[in-house]
Amino acid sequence: MNIHEYQAKEILRQFGASVPNGVIVLQLEEIEKKIKKLNSSNLVLKAQIYAGGRGKAGGIKIAKNQNELIKEAKNMFGKTLVTHQTGPIGKKVNRLYIEETCNIAKEFYLSCLIDRSSSKIAFISSAEGGVDIEEVAKNNPEKIIKVKMGLSKSINDEDIKKIITPFTLSKKSEKQICDLIKIIYK
């Protein structure tokens, strides 16, 4: 199943996860109206295509004000992004997601997927996360933790501790990530 970032964040929000506020834009004419719903002048503009590597391909831009955001949106909308996942043909940008920025002190990687080879749920985590996770996997695979588990109604604390092993977190942050993992696993 393919879903865009804004759709995934809406699902997470419905299950109680904390995600930044954002709006989807399907036509350039609706940008000004939509960004009035956001509580920040610092915004991030994200191309919504079915591919990773959007940031490196120019599909993610941080804007300091509304004028800068509108200018970047006009440049991005309708553009074809070529990433390592799209191949040379690329994907045309027909949707933009505008989101309130947040201060990032440290970036981690956490994903949850179905491991088809084992028919289990797999959580993948790394303290080296972010946009270069493929490079980490290639050059330093020991920095990536994979925790596979069978389907059950809940995830146990032992598995959560394994998943968060690479992260050095305060007690408050540790509780937040544990809550997030429980939300994701629901």
Coordinates of all heavy atoms in Angstrom, one line a residue, residues 38-98:
L38 N -2.2 27.3 10.1 CA -1.0 26.9 10.8 C -0.6 28.0 11.8 O -0.9 29.2 11.5 CB 0.1 26.6 9.8 CG -0.2 25.4 8.9 CD1 0.9 25.2 7.9 CD2 -0.5 24.1 9.6
N39 N 0.1 27.7 12.8 CA 0.4 28.6 13.9 C 1.9 29.0 13.9 O 2.5 29.3 14.9 CB 0.1 28.0 15.3 CG -1.3 27.7 15.4 OD1 -2.2 28.4 15.0 ND2 -1.7 26.5 16.0
S40 N 2.5 29.1 12.7 CA 3.9 29.4 12.6 C 4.2 30.2 11.3 O 3.5 29.9 10.3 CB 4.7 28.2 12.7 OG 6.1 28.5 12.6
S41 N 5.2 31.0 11.4 CA 5.6 31.6 10.1 C 6.8 30.8 9.5 O 7.1 30.9 8.4 CB 6.0 33.1 10.3 OG 7.1 33.2 11.3
N42 N 7.4 30.0 10.4 CA 8.5 29.1 9.9 C 7.8 27.8 9.5 O 7.3 27.0 10.3 CB 9.5 28.8 11.0 CG 10.3 30.0 11.4 OD1 10.5 30.9 10.5 ND2 10.7 30.1 12.6
L43 N 7.8 27.5 8.2 CA 7.1 26.4 7.6 C 8.0 25.5 6.8 O 9.0 26.0 6.2 CB 5.9 26.8 6.8 CG 4.9 27.7 7.6 CD1 3.9 28.3 6.6 CD2 4.1 26.8 8.6
V44 N 7.7 24.3 6.6 CA 8.4 23.4 5.7 C 7.5 22.9 4.6 O 6.3 22.6 4.9 CB 9.1 22.2 6.5 CG1 8.1 21.3 7.2 CG2 10.0 21.4 5.6
L45 N 8.0 23.0 3.4 CA 7.2 22.6 2.2 C 7.8 21.2 1.8 O 9.0 21.1 1.6 CB 7.4 23.6 1.1 CG 6.8 23.4 -0.2 CD1 5.3 23.5 -0.1 CD2 7.3 24.5 -1.2
K46 N 6.9 20.3 1.6 CA 7.3 18.9 1.2 C 6.5 18.4 0.0 O 5.3 18.3 0.1 CB 7.1 18.0 2.4 CG 7.9 18.4 3.7 CD 7.5 17.4 4.8 CE 8.4 17.7 6.0 NZ 8.2 16.7 7.1
A47 N 7.3 18.0 -1.0 CA 6.6 17.3 -2.1 C 6.1 16.0 -1.7 O 6.7 15.3 -0.9 CB 7.7 17.1 -3.2
Q48 N 4.9 15.7 -2.2 CA 4.3 14.4 -1.8 C 4.3 13.5 -3.0 O 3.5 13.6 -3.9 CB 2.9 14.6 -1.3 CG 2.8 15.4 0.0 CD 3.5 14.8 1.2 OE1 3.0 13.8 1.7 NE2 4.7 15.3 1.5
I49 N 5.3 12.6 -3.1 CA 5.4 11.6 -4.1 C 5.7 10.3 -3.4 O 6.1 10.3 -2.3 CB 6.6 11.9 -5.1 CG1 7.9 12.0 -4.5 CG2 6.2 13.2 -5.9 CD1 9.1 12.1 -5.4
Y50 N 5.5 9.2 -4.1 CA 5.7 7.9 -3.5 C 7.2 7.5 -3.8 O 7.5 6.7 -4.6 CB 4.8 6.8 -4.2 CG 3.4 7.0 -3.9 CD1 2.4 7.0 -4.9 CD2 2.9 7.2 -2.6 CE1 1.1 7.1 -4.7 CE2 1.6 7.4 -2.3 CZ 0.7 7.3 -3.4 OH -0.7 7.5 -3.1
A51 N 8.1 8.1 -3.0 CA 9.5 7.8 -3.1 C 10.2 8.5 -1.9 O 9.9 9.6 -1.4 CB 10.1 8.3 -4.4
G52 N 11.3 7.8 -1.4 CA 12.2 8.4 -0.5 C 13.2 9.2 -1.2 O 13.3 9.2 -2.4
G53 N 14.0 10.0 -0.4 CA 15.0 10.8 -1.0 C 14.5 12.1 -1.5 O 15.2 12.8 -2.3
R54 N 13.3 12.5 -1.1 CA 12.8 13.8 -1.6 C 13.6 15.0 -1.2 O 13.8 15.9 -2.0 CB 11.3 14.0 -1.0 CG 10.3 13.0 -1.5 CD 9.0 13.1 -0.8 NE 9.2 12.8 0.6 CZ 8.5 13.3 1.7 NH1 7.5 14.1 1.4 NH2 8.8 13.0 2.9
G55 N 14.1 15.0 0.0 CA 14.9 16.2 0.4 C 16.2 16.4 -0.4 O 16.5 17.5 -0.9
K56 N 16.9 15.3 -0.7 CA 18.1 15.4 -1.5 C 17.8 15.8 -3.0 O 18.7 16.3 -3.6 CB 18.9 14.1 -1.5 CG 19.5 13.8 -0.1 CD 20.3 12.5 -0.2 CE 21.0 12.3 1.2 NZ 21.8 11.1 1.2
A57 N 16.6 15.5 -3.4 CA 16.2 15.8 -4.8 C 15.5 17.2 -4.9 O 15.1 17.6 -6.0 CB 15.2 14.8 -5.3
G58 N 15.5 18.0 -3.8 CA 14.9 19.3 -3.8 C 13.5 19.4 -3.5 O 12.8 20.4 -3.7
G59 N 12.9 18.3 -3.0 CA 11.5 18.2 -2.7 C 11.1 18.6 -1.2 O 10.0 18.4 -0.9
I60 N 12.1 19.1 -0.5 CA 11.8 19.6 0.9 C 12.5 20.9 1.1 O 13.7 21.0 0.9 CB 12.1 18.6 2.0 CG1 11.4 17.3 1.8 CG2 11.9 19.1 3.4 CD1 11.7 16.2 2.8
K61 N 11.7 21.9 1.4 CA 12.3 23.3 1.6 C 11.7 23.9 2.8 O 10.5 23.9 3.1 CB 11.9 24.2 0.4 CG 12.4 23.7 -1.0 CD 13.9 23.8 -1.1 CE 14.4 23.4 -2.5 NZ 15.8 23.6 -2.7
I62 N 12.6 24.5 3.6 CA 12.2 25.3 4.8 C 12.1 26.7 4.4 O 13.0 27.3 3.8 CB 13.2 25.1 5.9 CG1 13.2 23.6 6.4 CG2 12.8 26.0 7.1 CD1 14.3 23.3 7.4
A63 N 11.0 27.3 4.8 CA 10.7 28.7 4.4 C 10.6 29.6 5.7 O 10.0 29.2 6.7 CB 9.4 28.9 3.6
K64 N 11.2 30.8 5.7 CA 11.2 31.6 6.9 C 10.0 32.5 6.9 O 9.7 33.1 7.9 CB 12.5 32.5 6.9 CG 13.7 31.6 7.1 CD 15.0 32.5 7.1 CE 16.2 31.7 7.2 NZ 16.7 31.2 6.0
N65 N 9.3 32.6 5.8 CA 8.0 33.5 5.8 C 7.1 33.0 4.6 O 7.5 32.2 3.8 CB 8.4 35.0 5.6 CG 9.2 35.2 4.4 OD1 8.8 34.9 3.3 ND2 10.4 35.8 4.5
Q66 N 5.9 33.6 4.6 CA 4.9 33.2 3.7 C 5.3 33.4 2.2 O 5.1 32.6 1.3 CB 3.6 33.9 4.0 CG 2.5 33.5 3.1 CD 1.2 34.2 3.5 OE1 1.0 34.6 4.7 NE2 0.3 34.4 2.6
N67 N 6.0 34.6 1.9 CA 6.4 34.9 0.6 C 7.4 33.9 0.1 O 7.3 33.4 -1.1 CB 7.0 36.3 0.5 CG 5.9 37.4 0.7 OD1 4.7 37.1 0.4 ND2 6.3 38.5 1.1
E68 N 8.4 33.5 0.9 CA 9.4 32.5 0.5 C 8.7 31.2 0.3 O 9.0 30.5 -0.7 CB 10.4 32.4 1.7 CG 11.6 31.6 1.3 CD 12.6 31.5 2.4 OE1 12.9 32.6 3.1 OE2 13.2 30.4 2.7
L69 N 7.7 30.8 1.1 CA 7.0 29.5 1.0 C 6.3 29.5 -0.4 O 6.4 28.5 -1.1 CB 6.0 29.3 2.1 CG 5.3 28.0 2.0 CD1 5.9 27.0 2.9 CD2 3.8 28.2 2.2
I70 N 5.6 30.6 -0.7 CA 4.8 30.6 -1.9 C 5.7 30.5 -3.2 O 5.5 29.8 -4.1 CB 3.9 31.9 -2.0 CG1 2.8 31.7 -0.9 CG2 3.3 32.1 -3.4 CD1 2.0 33.0 -0.7
K71 N 6.9 31.2 -3.1 CA 7.9 31.1 -4.2 C 8.4 29.7 -4.4 O 8.4 29.2 -5.5 CB 9.0 32.1 -3.9 CG 10.1 32.0 -4.9 CD 11.3 32.9 -4.5 CE 12.5 32.7 -5.5 NZ 13.7 33.2 -4.9
E72 N 8.7 29.0 -3.3 CA 9.2 27.7 -3.3 C 8.1 26.7 -3.8 O 8.4 25.8 -4.6 CB 9.7 27.2 -2.0 CG 11.0 27.9 -1.5 CD 12.2 27.5 -2.3 OE1 12.2 26.6 -3.1 OE2 13.3 28.2 -2.1
A73 N 6.9 26.9 -3.4 CA 5.8 26.1 -3.8 C 5.6 26.2 -5.3 O 5.4 25.2 -6.0 CB 4.5 26.5 -3.1
K74 N 5.7 27.4 -5.9 CA 5.5 27.6 -7.3 C 6.6 26.9 -8.1 O 6.4 26.3 -9.2 CB 5.5 29.1 -7.7 CG 4.2 29.8 -7.3 CD 4.2 31.2 -7.6 CE 2.9 31.9 -7.2 NZ 2.9 33.4 -7.4
N75 N 7.8 26.9 -7.5 CA 8.9 26.2 -8.2 C 8.8 24.6 -8.1 O 9.2 23.9 -9.0 CB 10.3 26.5 -7.5 CG 10.7 28.0 -7.9 OD1 10.3 28.5 -8.9 ND2 11.5 28.5 -7.0
M76 N 8.2 24.2 -7.0 CA 8.1 22.7 -6.7 C 6.9 22.1 -7.4 O 7.0 21.0 -7.9 CB 8.1 22.5 -5.2 CG 8.3 21.0 -4.8 SD 8.3 20.8 -3.0 CE 9.7 21.8 -2.5
F77 N 5.8 22.8 -7.4 CA 4.5 22.2 -7.9 C 4.6 21.9 -9.4 O 5.0 22.8 -10.2 CB 3.3 23.1 -7.6 CG 2.0 22.4 -7.7 CD1 1.5 21.7 -6.6 CD2 1.3 22.4 -8.8 CE1 0.3 21.1 -6.6 CE2 0.0 21.8 -8.9 CZ -0.4 21.1 -7.8
G78 N 4.4 20.7 -9.8 CA 4.5 20.3 -11.2 C 5.9 19.9 -11.7 O 6.0 19.3 -12.7
K79 N 6.9 20.1 -10.8 CA 8.2 19.7 -11.1 C 8.3 18.1 -11.0 O 7.6 17.5 -10.3 CB 9.2 20.3 -10.0 CG 10.6 20.0 -10.2 CD 11.4 20.6 -9.1 CE 12.9 20.2 -9.2 NZ 13.7 20.9 -8.1
T80 N 9.3 17.6 -11.8 CA 9.5 16.2 -11.7 C 10.7 16.0 -10.8 O 11.8 16.5 -11.1 CB 9.8 15.6 -13.1 OG1 8.6 15.7 -13.9 CG2 10.1 14.1 -13.0
L81 N 10.5 15.2 -9.7 CA 11.6 14.9 -8.8 C 12.2 13.5 -9.2 O 11.5 12.6 -9.4 CB 11.1 14.8 -7.3 CG 10.8 16.1 -6.6 CD1 10.4 15.8 -5.2 CD2 11.9 17.1 -6.7
V82 N 13.5 13.5 -9.2 CA 14.3 12.3 -9.5 C 15.0 11.9 -8.3 O 15.9 12.7 -7.8 CB 15.2 12.4 -10.7 CG1 16.0 11.2 -11.0 CG2 14.4 12.8 -12.0
T83 N 14.7 10.7 -7.7 CA 15.4 10.2 -6.5 C 15.9 8.8 -6.8 O 15.7 8.3 -7.8 CB 14.5 10.2 -5.3 OG1 13.6 9.0 -5.4 CG2 13.6 11.4 -5.1
H84 N 16.6 8.3 -5.8 CA 17.2 6.9 -6.0 C 16.1 5.9 -6.1 O 16.3 4.8 -6.5 CB 18.2 6.6 -4.8 CG 17.5 6.5 -3.5 ND1 17.2 7.7 -2.8 CD2 17.1 5.5 -2.7 CE1 16.6 7.3 -1.6 NE2 16.6 6.0 -1.6
Q85 N 14.8 6.3 -5.6 CA 13.7 5.3 -5.7 C 12.8 5.5 -6.9 O 12.0 4.6 -7.2 CB 12.9 5.4 -4.4 CG 13.6 4.9 -3.2 CD 12.7 4.8 -1.9 OE1 11.6 5.3 -1.9 NE2 13.3 4.3 -0.8
T86 N 12.9 6.7 -7.5 CA 12.0 6.9 -8.7 C 12.6 6.4 -10.0 O 11.9 6.2 -11.0 CB 11.7 8.4 -8.9 OG1 12.9 9.1 -9.2 CG2 11.0 9.0 -7.7
G87 N 14.0 6.3 -10.0 CA 14.6 6.0 -11.3 C 14.8 7.3 -12.1 O 14.3 8.3 -11.6
P88 N 15.3 7.2 -13.3 CA 15.6 8.4 -14.0 C 14.4 9.1 -14.5 O 14.5 10.3 -14.8 CB 16.5 7.9 -15.2 CG 16.2 6.4 -15.3 CD 15.9 6.0 -13.9
I89 N 13.3 8.5 -14.6 CA 12.0 9.1 -15.1 C 11.5 10.1 -14.0 O 10.9 11.1 -14.4 CB 11.0 8.1 -15.5 CG1 11.5 7.3 -16.7 CG2 9.6 8.7 -15.8 CD1 10.6 6.1 -17.1
G90 N 11.7 9.7 -12.8 CA 11.2 10.6 -11.7 C 9.7 10.5 -11.5 O 9.0 9.7 -12.1
K91 N 9.2 11.4 -10.6 CA 7.8 11.5 -10.3 C 7.4 12.9 -10.3 O 8.1 13.8 -9.7 CB 7.4 10.9 -8.9 CG 7.8 9.4 -8.8 CD 6.6 8.6 -8.9 CE 6.9 7.1 -8.6 NZ 6.0 6.2 -9.1
K92 N 6.2 13.2 -10.9 CA 5.7 14.6 -10.9 C 5.1 15.0 -9.6 O 4.3 14.2 -9.0 CB 4.7 14.8 -12.1 CG 4.3 16.2 -12.3 CD 3.4 16.3 -13.5 CE 3.0 17.7 -13.7 NZ 2.1 17.9 -14.9
V93 N 5.4 16.2 -9.1 CA 4.8 16.7 -7.9 C 3.4 17.3 -8.1 O 3.3 18.3 -8.8 CB 5.7 17.7 -7.2 CG1 5.1 18.2 -5.9 CG2 7.1 17.1 -7.0
N94 N 2.4 16.6 -7.6 CA 1.0 17.1 -7.8 C 0.4 17.5 -6.5 O -0.8 17.9 -6.4 CB 0.1 16.0 -8.5 CG 0.6 15.8 -9.9 OD1 0.9 16.7 -10.6 ND2 0.7 14.5 -10.2
R95 N 1.1 17.2 -5.4 CA 0.6 17.5 -4.0 C 1.8 18.1 -3.2 O 2.9 17.6 -3.3 CB 0.2 16.3 -3.3 CG -0.9 15.5 -3.9 CD -1.0 14.1 -3.3 NE -1.8 13.3 -4.2 CZ -3.0 12.9 -4.0 NH1 -3.6 13.3 -2.9 NH2 -3.7 12.2 -4.9
L96 N 1.5 19.1 -2.4 CA 2.4 19.7 -1.5 C 1.9 19.6 -0.1 O 0.7 19.8 0.1 CB 2.7 21.1 -1.9 CG 3.3 21.4 -3.2 CD1 3.3 22.9 -3.5 CD2 4.7 20.9 -3.4
Y97 N 2.8 19.3 0.8 CA 2.4 19.3 2.2 C 3.2 20.4 2.9 O 4.4 20.5 2.8 CB 2.8 17.9 2.9 CG 2.3 17.7 4.3 CD1 0.9 17.9 4.6 CD2 3.1 17.3 5.3 CE1 0.5 17.7 5.9 CE2 2.7 17.1 6.6 CZ 1.4 17.3 6.9 OH 0.9 17.1 8.1
I98 N 2.4 21.3 3.6 CA 3.0 22.4 4.3 C 2.9 22.1 5.8 O 1.7 21.9 6.3 CB 2.4 23.7 3.9 CG1 2.5 23.9 2.4 CG2 3.0 24.9 4.7 CD1 1.7 25.1 1.9

